[in-house]
Each structure stands twice: as structure tokens, then as C-alpha cells.
Amino acid sequence: MATVPVTDATFDEEVKNSDIPVVVDFWAEWCGPCKQIGPALEELAEQYDGQIKIAKVDVDKDQAMAAQLGVRGIPALFIFKNGEVFSNRTGAAPKASLESWIKEAI
């Protein structure tokens, strides 16, 4: 499964009500570090299909959930497990680092 675009309107359905852990990437088109980790997140979405969902929220279009979670810089990554924040981190990281972080939630 590829990454899933999520909006403020679909956040509860796609993230909080998911039966598998969800990595939420708060990003923007103009953000260089966001573009840097994008391909790694796409690969991890395929690699862990069925075990974890990777959702992307464009903060320029949908700001409510980012504000509610206190996002101050992007990329901001949150792992939701059973509808709650399990872990979070900010900034770009290599694929191996992202993968080991994601594995903690599986």
C-alpha cells in the first residue's frame, strides 16, 4: 500500500480508527526535508503493507490536527497506535532510522 493522503476531515477515520498502527507525516510541498524523507516513507509503506499505514497530512491545506498535536516544525512524524499517539519525532532522518523507529510500533 502506498502512503495515504489524509485531511482534517478524514483524520479520525484513517488514523484514530485504524486497526493497525499509523505513521502520520505532517509535511508541505515547499519543505525540503519533507521531500527528502518522502521516498523512504513510500518504500516503508510498501514494505510494511498490512502491518502499518503511512498517512500524509499537507499542513498548508489541513492545519487543525497539526495545531491540535502541537506541530511547530515539519516534517513532524507521529505514530498512532490504538487511536493514541504512541511516539513522535521531528525532522528528516535516513530510511534505516525511520524503519527502526516504525518497528517499535509493530
Side-chain angles (χ1 to χ4, degrees):
M1 170 194 287
T3 59
V4 178
V6 173
T7 65
D8 290 335
T10 63
F11 195 89
D12 284 354
E13 177 187 342
E14 291 287 350
V15 177
K16 292 186 176 181
N17 297 334
S18 177
D19 55 355
I20 58 175
V22 182
V23 174
V24 182
D25 174 22
F26 290 93
W27 71 285
E29 188 65 40
W30 49 263
C31 169
C34 299
K35 290 180 178 182
Q36 183 182 358
I37 66 168
L41 291 174
E42 290 288 343
E43 290 173 20
L44 291 167
E46 295 290 336
Q47 188 174 335
Y48 292 97
D49 186 25
Q51 297 176 64
I52 198 155
K53 181 191 303 185
I54 299 184
K56 296 179 72 72
V57 177
D58 183 338
V59 297
D60 284 338
K61 296 177 182 170
D62 294 280
Q63 301 169 358
M65 284 310 304
Q68 186 175 332
L69 292 167
V71 172
R72 295 183 181 269
I74 55 174
L77 301 167
F78 288 78
I79 296 178
F80 279 78
K81 195 170 181 178
N82 301 318
E84 301 290 328
V85 174
F86 174 78
S87 181
N88 68 299
R89 65 190 295 166
T90 303
K95 180 182 174 186
S97 176
L98 293 170
E99 184 174 13
S100 64
W101 177 65
I102 288 169
K103 282 183 175 181
E104 294 173 15
I106 299 176

